[in-house]
Amino acid sequence: MAAAGSTPGTPGTPSVLRAMNDRAVLDLLVAHGPLTRTRIGELTGLSKPTTSQLLGRLEAAGLVHTTGSLSGRPGPNALLYEIDPGAGHVAALSADPTGITALVADITGTVLGQARVEAVAVAEDVRHRTAQLVTEAVDEALRQAGLGHDDLRAAVIGTPGAIDPHTGELRYAPHLPGWHSRTLRDDLAAVLGTPVVIENDVNLAAVAEQYEGAAQDYDNYVLTWLDEGVGAAIVLGGNLLRGATGGAGEIGYMPLPDAPLARGNGTGGGFESLVSAYVVRELTGGGATLTQVMADDTALGEVARRIATGIAAVVAVVDPELVVLSGSVAQAGGDKLRVRVEEELTGLALPRPEIRISELDGDPILTGALRSALTQARDQVFDTA
């Protein structure tokens, strides 16, 4: 019962302070893994009795459990506590022009199932089956995990383009016609049984870099995605810059010298027409892989010049500390490309950010979607107020 003169959830009341302490301990266990009661007390500054009561409360709520004990020191073995992985589950998805990949993970981030549904996005029989295809991918991942829709707490889907915050419509992705319905988020939430967030794929790659990649410990950085499509994610003060219609970072359309104008049709112009994977593969006469093109010093220099010209325009506006180059073109060029881009950038822009090549393993878009879904799920599951 709340004290007289207070209401549940009022800042400073015992219930709110308990919830804050609960969340602090849960976040510690997420970050550090199993910890003893003593170590939790040391990290939080809570007394032994308070820590014991807190852990008992979280254990009763199904949020933590013991996982063995720590031996090798004087006195009785100390119990180790960890997040109960069954406290919640999430789905993370990546949609592209040739299919949908889905994975399911528990609240600790351990992946339990993953599936891929191949579907050419522009095919007539695919355009009106987007929700069905997403469900197929998620259902197979859930089947592998031994779970059902009721176990999901959040789902995040990465797609090219961006959801307009005013209309709910996917913009800047004409090559995904089935994703343009204004009711798509509600349709997906209905079939998956959990709230769904549709996020720009490059933004999610930037999230992955911030959590476990080249942008750790940076609050102001730009991720430049150089693949079959070209885009950027801009993080300022630790927050993604989205723009009025969700289109911040759509640098593939950016007009540059030597590039035809895109004219808003989504193809055939702008920065993308200079540095996309398709264009780069054609630099040595066609038929070569990206790795083979990058082994040619003349082609490498030309790609670096083009990339630096595009980056300079972004750097001049947002002045980031770091630019991360990601995607298949960046991976093929590696550190040789990074060095040449740095050289070409000299004199093009007064700010001189650090340039790094992404070293993330696996699909950075799926990794970012998983991280985003886990953040949302933990905000729900770890709220004991």
Side-chain angles (χ1 to χ4, degrees), residues 1-8 13-14:
M1 178 179 294
S6 69
T7 58
T13 60

Side-chain angles (χ1 to χ4, degrees), residues 40-280:
I40 290 170
E42 291 172 350
L43 291 170
T44 60
L46 298 174
S47 67
K48 287 184 177 179
T50 299
T51 304
S52 294
Q53 292 172 6
L54 183 153
L55 289 171
R57 186 167 63 249
L58 295 179
E59 195 168 13
L63 296 177
V64 304
H65 64 192
T66 57
T67 174
S69 58
L70 188 65
S71 57
R73 58 178 62 188
N77 293 344
L79 290 175
L80 286 165
Y81 291 86
E82 69 174 2
I83 299 292
D84 188 331
H89 299 85
V90 301
L93 300 94
S94 175
D96 59 64
T98 62
I100 298 166
T101 304
L103 61 80
V104 169
D106 64 34
I107 200 72
T108 71
T110 300
V111 176
L112 305 176
Q114 184 165 338
R116 170 80 176 173
V117 173
E118 300 291 345
V120 179
V122 295
E124 287 298 328
D125 65 334
V126 168
R127 292 175 182 240
H128 307 295
R129 296 197 298 122
T130 300
Q132 177 187 341
L133 294 170
V134 168
T135 304
E136 287 178 17
V138 172
D139 282 356
E140 175 56 23
L142 285 169
R143 186 194 65 77
Q144 294 176 19
L147 300 169
H149 288 187
D150 291 344
D151 295 297
L152 294 177
R153 293 300 189 107
V156 174
I157 303 174
T159 73
I163 293 290
D164 188 315
H166 304 293
T167 67
E169 183 178 359
L170 185 70
R171 297 166 60 92
Y172 314 105
H175 53 305
L176 294 180
W179 292 78
H180 288 230
S181 166
R182 295 190 178 191
T183 64
L184 182 60
R185 280 184 297 189
D186 292 338
D187 295 342
L188 293 174
V191 295
L192 295 183
T194 189
V196 173
V197 171
I198 301 175
E199 177 62 277
N200 173 262
D201 53 1
V202 181
N203 283 351
L204 291 176
V207 170
E209 294 291 348
Q210 193 170 39
Y211 272 97
E212 53 191 75
Q216 294 180 75
D217 302 322
Y218 284 84
D219 288 330
N220 298 280
Y221 66 96
V222 172
L223 179 131
T224 305
W225 182 261
L226 304 165
D227 211 288
E228 299 300 334
V230 174
I234 301 166
V235 177
L236 299 177
N239 298 310
L240 278 165
L241 180 67
R242 298 184 180 278
T245 64
E250 291 291 340
I251 62 172
Y253 296 95
M254 185 167 61
L256 289 175
D258 302 326
L261 295 176
R263 296 295 185 190
N265 61 12
T267 58
F271 187 39
E272 185 169 306
S273 70
L274 297 179
V275 296
S276 72
Y278 171 78
V279 173
V280 171

